[in-house]
Amino acid sequence: ARSDGLEGQVSGARVIAQALKTQDVNYMFGIVGIPVTEIALAAQEVGIRYIGMRNEQAACYAASAVGYLTGRPGVCLVVSGPGLIHGLGGMANANMNCWPLIVIGGSSERSQETMGAFQEFPQVEACRLYSKFSARPSSIEAIPSIIEKAVRSSIYGRPGACYVDIPADFVNLQVNVNSIKYVECCMPPPVSMAETSAVRMAASVIRNAKQPLVIIGKGAAYAHAEESIRKLVEQCKLPFLPTPMGKGVIRDNHPNCVAAARSRALQFADVIVLLGARLNWILHFGLPPRYQPDVKFIQVDICAEELGNNVRPAVTLLGDINAVTKQLLEQFDKTPWQYPPESEWWKVLREKMKSNEALSKELASKKSLPMNYYTVFYHVQEQLPRDCFVVSEGANTMDIGRTVLQNYLPRHRLDAGTFGTMGVGLGFAIAAAIVAKDRNPGKRVICVEGDSAFGFSGMEVETICRYNLPIVLLVVNNNGIYQGFDTDSWKEMLKFGDATTVAPPMSLLPHSHYEHVMTAFGGKGYFVQTPEELQKSLRQSLADTTNPSLINIMIEPQATRKAQQREEILKKKHGNGD
Ligand code: ADP
Ligand code: MG
């Protein structure tokens, strides 16, 4: 019996934690403070892992990555007002990526509403633009059903972010245990299939394709459709192209992968099977001049509103990617068909791939110092464990890294995503390492950051060290955003005035020793300037399975991509993280 007179009572905090656990939510990231500290404590008591972060934005990125990696949303726990507002960046990113996420925000006391309470803010309204569902339970008794609804909404249909607002006075309020009814765990998302006639039509369009292409997006990765998609690609001998996070659904070194001829493949395909990827900026909207004006899209998506965006598709298949791909396979089982491997299309694609690969190899073999991006990534690729998670962000760091660093497994690449968000890397890496710890102990996380991108959430290195996550952080350092200056030019420039008046806005402090951020918290730090130093430090970091490390890799401050793409890069101003 309890001595505090609370026998038979339960706190609001405990109800929240128990309701989450009942919905099979197992990870919570956040920063505690008034009024949510007790929620974090209660979460640990019911067996939810709690990971304390240093900024709500990074916490929210981490929680959203758990949702993508496990199919079950992670929670981001934030305090009222500014805490919630910092988290909005993570909510927006999750929602844009179509990843499930639950944000739980403390809010000011109901009795002080509209009086200028501590950190008072219209939180439920604020979250509407960044979520699928945003609500405040009307009482403690209503918490379990609101949490069930939030979890269910986050994973049903097109996945996304959901917000639950918890007024401060709910947290410590005690109610009778018997007044709380926990809602059973919601059922797994229902699986929907496409209309049979549409499936037949799609199969016939594929059969008549002269230059077919399959595009695999992160929706396919999220849907766990890897088996059926690989079967379709192999059985029909179709060329395929992954989007950035679609990488690994089928391994990058599969003979049918035409990633190295991406532009060519998009430009000349006459039939494109689009599996869980939107025709947004990443895929150049599906429009000329990057595509044939009469290209036939076969669009597969779980979200009906997505079908027909930017193009008029030849066939739309509304349903779960795995189920729909199996429907397509049935058609090709009934009447077997394969795309001729000796076709002109394959020849064109193979030739382009060969010349593109030769070009990057040539750049990688350059012996000049400081190193260029390609040299760095080729040395990294040589040592990467095949089953590792690759997290990456930055402009050139991410774009060039993506072409060299290979993924062999689905859901093992995390990057700036649909929203092009910088600052996601450390949160994603922490999430991947925590999930790996539970599910695949020993699996490594490699986080490849531009120096600018690293800065957005750099203090999460303390989080990495506190939880002893053996993440290998690579900072590809060109002293700036897109480009920077070497030490001498920087000093020279400062002779002409104060940095605020003469330094280009892209520049960051040259020769910064980011590795000290890691050593400050007890991890291993390396400063490398040559391929040999890079190889050695990476070997040591990968051999060390207990300590995190940060390798600060100095590259040519003016290095960019392959020469023929320079113009395009200069014109293209999206992303800002190198
Ligand atoms: P990428 O960035 O790889 O191009 P997007 O995020 O643009 O991918 O697109 C992913 C698409 O996948 C979204 O339109 C989403 O609705 C869809 N999707 C998510 N899960 C499923 C699923 N289980 N079945 C079908 N489509 C899905
Ligand atoms: Mg940079």
Side-chain angles (χ1 to χ4, degrees), residues 1-11 174-178:
R2 296 176 63 147
S3 57
D4 52 9
L6 292 176
E7 184 131 308
Q9 302 279 92
V10 62
S11 70
Q174 302 284 332
V175 296
N176 190 308
V177 176
N178 299 322

Side-chain angles (χ1 to χ4, degrees), residues 112-426:
Q112 298 169 355
E113 216 158 55
T114 74
M115 295 174 68
F118 175 63
Q119 300 185 333
E120 182 177 345
F121 195 72
Q123 300 186 178
V124 173
E125 290 92 318
C127 288
R128 288 236 160 84
L129 271 180
Y130 309 92
S131 64
K132 299 174 73 175
F133 173 75
S134 178
R136 168 193 284 189
S138 58
S139 63
I140 295 196
E141 288 75 11
I143 287 173
S145 60
I146 291 280
I147 285 186
E148 186 271 347
K149 181 162 174 152
V151 170
R152 181 161 41 82
S153 304
S154 78
I155 54 177
Y156 276 34
R158 169 181 273 176
C162 294
Y163 176 65
V164 180
D165 193 70
I166 304 290
D169 48 300
F170 275 9
V171 177
N172 290 315
L173 200 69
Q174 302 284 332
V175 296
N176 190 308
V177 176
N178 299 322
S179 68
I180 305 294
K181 303 264 173 297
Y182 291 102
V183 182
E184 233 183 295
C185 185
C186 63
M187 297 203 290
V191 177
S192 49
M193 295 206 280
E195 269 178 293
T196 319
S197 59
V199 175
R200 258 192 244 119
M201 200 200 291
S204 130
V205 172
I206 296 171
R207 282 176 213 276
N208 290 306
K210 299 208 167 49
Q211 315 206 127
L213 177 68
V214 176
I215 297 180
I216 305 173
K218 65 178 174 295
Y222 179 77
H224 286 247
E226 51 268 18
E227 270 302 303
S228 54
I229 295 179
R230 191 181 46 77
K231 266 191 201 147
L232 181 73
V233 160
E234 288 181 350
Q235 195 168 316
C236 298
K237 300 210 184 325
L238 295 167
F240 78 90
L241 184 71
T243 65
M245 281 195 257
K247 268 164 71 77
V249 169
I250 306 181
R251 64 190 160 91
D252 280 336
N253 65 343
H254 191 283
N256 293 28
C257 178
V258 296
R262 183 180 190 270
S263 302
R264 190 63 56 104
L266 295 180
Q267 184 150 25
F268 295 107
D270 70 336
V271 169
I272 294 181
V273 185
L274 193 63
L275 301 172
R278 283 166 286 181
L279 291 174
N280 56 17
W281 65 277
I282 293 184
L283 286 173
H284 318 287
F285 313 105
L287 295 172
R290 306 297 298 260
Y291 293 78
Q292 291 300 304
D294 55 355
V295 53
K296 294 191 170 81
F297 280 100
I298 298 170
Q299 205 179 355
V300 183
D301 208 289
I302 204 164
C303 173
E305 289 86 342
E306 186 57 40
L307 303 170
N309 276 344
N310 300 333
V311 301
R312 190 179 171 85
V315 189
T316 56
L317 301 174
L318 176 62
D320 172 69
I321 297 169
N322 194 33
V324 172
T325 308
K326 283 182 183 160
Q327 285 181 290
L328 281 171
L329 275 168
E330 272 170 31
Q331 295 297 316
F332 292 112
D333 281 339
K334 262 190 248 160
T335 321
W337 170 84
Q338 51 174 250
Y339 182 67
E342 298 310 319
S343 63
E344 190 55 31
W345 181 225
W346 265 121
K347 216 182 285 162
V348 167
L349 293 172
R350 292 238 161 81
E351 261 160 35
K352 190 68 198 165
M353 281 159 66
K354 229 166 141 190
S355 67
N356 278 348
E357 278 159 3
L359 197 56
S360 27
K361 280 217 181 87
E362 188 198 314
L363 285 161
S365 67
K366 289 245 155 68
K367 294 278 181 288
S368 56
L369 292 178
M371 291 181 276
N372 67 42
Y373 285 107
Y374 290 88
T375 313
V376 169
F377 293 132
Y378 269 84
H379 288 296
V380 174
Q381 171 58 27
E382 275 179 0
Q383 289 192 40
L384 277 195
R386 279 174 82 100
D387 67 346
C388 73
F389 287 100
V390 178
V391 179
S392 187
E393 60 177 332
N396 286 326
T397 299
M398 179 173 74
D399 290 346
I400 301 173
R402 182 173 57 239
T403 67
V404 181
L405 304 176
Q406 304 275 296
N407 284 93
Y408 304 93
L409 295 171
R411 299 169 296 283
H412 278 62
R413 181 185 168 86
L414 297 161
D415 67 23
T418 305
F419 214 22
T421 312
M422 293 300 138
V424 292
L426 276 75

